[in-house]
Amino acid sequence: TLRASLSGTPQRYQFDSHPFNIPGTVKGRLVGGNLALLAHLCGTKSFPSTKNAILFLEDVGEYTYNVDRMLYQLKRSGAFKKVAGVIIGGFTDSKDTDRPFGKTMDEIINEVISDMGVPVCFNFPVSHGLENVALKIGANYKLTISGQHSILKELQP
């Protein structure tokens, strides 16, 4: 997918649905990336505009309680208020403490973002693991989420 993206070929990714998905279709500019980095940028001039954007989130090596805290930080800062849709990628090599947080990573994420009123897809194949499709930050995409599958299609400029 990286080679195809670099060659200018518009990408289209289709993958199976997830129980926490919220169906819908949206178009928007893709922003986001690593949750920890976005949380550290929160409140600075470097934080990307999420207005009418499709926000994607992923991370690696984080404790479950940290993910919970970072998501609430973004939510309380208003970063989620005007997004068009959300893509949840992989949270690879995540950890729990000796005293368990009590929720899975998907449950933590769903609890924070399920009331946003926008389409959300979980389990998108972008992460720090083997499944890691190429995404173009700043490009325009169409995200379609149904009960059977989700499709992310890059739109022509």
Side-chain angles (χ1 to χ4, degrees):
T1 63
L2 178 60
R3 184 174 290 135
S5 287
L6 291 173
S7 74
T9 305
Q11 298 300 292
R12 181 185 183 277
Y13 304 116
Q14 181 173 328
F15 49 99
D16 292 337
S17 188
H18 185 279
F20 289 148
N21 281 3
I22 299 173
T25 299
V26 295
K27 292 179 183 178
R29 181 180 43 81
L30 188 70
V31 299
N34 183 274
L35 174 62
L37 293 178
L38 287 171
H40 289 304
L41 291 174
C42 192
T44 72
K45 292 178 183 178
S46 299
F47 191 83
S49 171
T50 56
K51 184 177 180 180
N52 300 321
I54 298 172
L55 175 66
F56 88 92
L57 301 171
E58 58 78 32
D59 215 316
V60 60
E62 287 293 340
Y63 282 95
T64 51
Y65 75 88
N66 277 344
V67 169
D68 182 70
R69 180 175 57 213
M70 289 184 286
L71 287 169
Y72 274 109
Q73 177 184 356
L74 291 177
K75 186 173 188 171
R76 290 178 179 141
S77 76
F80 296 155
K81 276 189 179 175
K82 299 201 179 191
V83 298
V86 179
I87 295 172
I88 302 299
F91 280 72
T92 51
D93 300 329
S94 58
K95 305 171 258 190
D96 205 347
T97 55
D98 291 338
R99 192 175 183 185
F101 191 76
K103 297 176 186 167
T104 68
M105 195 62 75
D106 285 347
E107 289 170 337
I108 291 166
I109 297 166
N110 185 57
E111 184 176 284
V112 177
I113 67 171
S114 64
D115 65 350
M116 291 171 52
V118 300
V120 177
C121 85
F122 279 77
N123 215 26
F124 187 83
V126 63
S127 70
H128 289 259
L130 293 176
E131 276 196 311
N132 191 23
V133 300
L135 294 175
K136 295 178 186 174
I137 301 291
N140 289 312
Y141 285 87
K142 179 180 179 183
L143 176 62
T144 304
I145 305 166
S146 73
Q148 282 117 11
H149 57 264
S150 296
I151 299 170
L152 182 67
K153 180 181 176 184
E154 183 181 350
L155 301 175
Q156 293 291 342

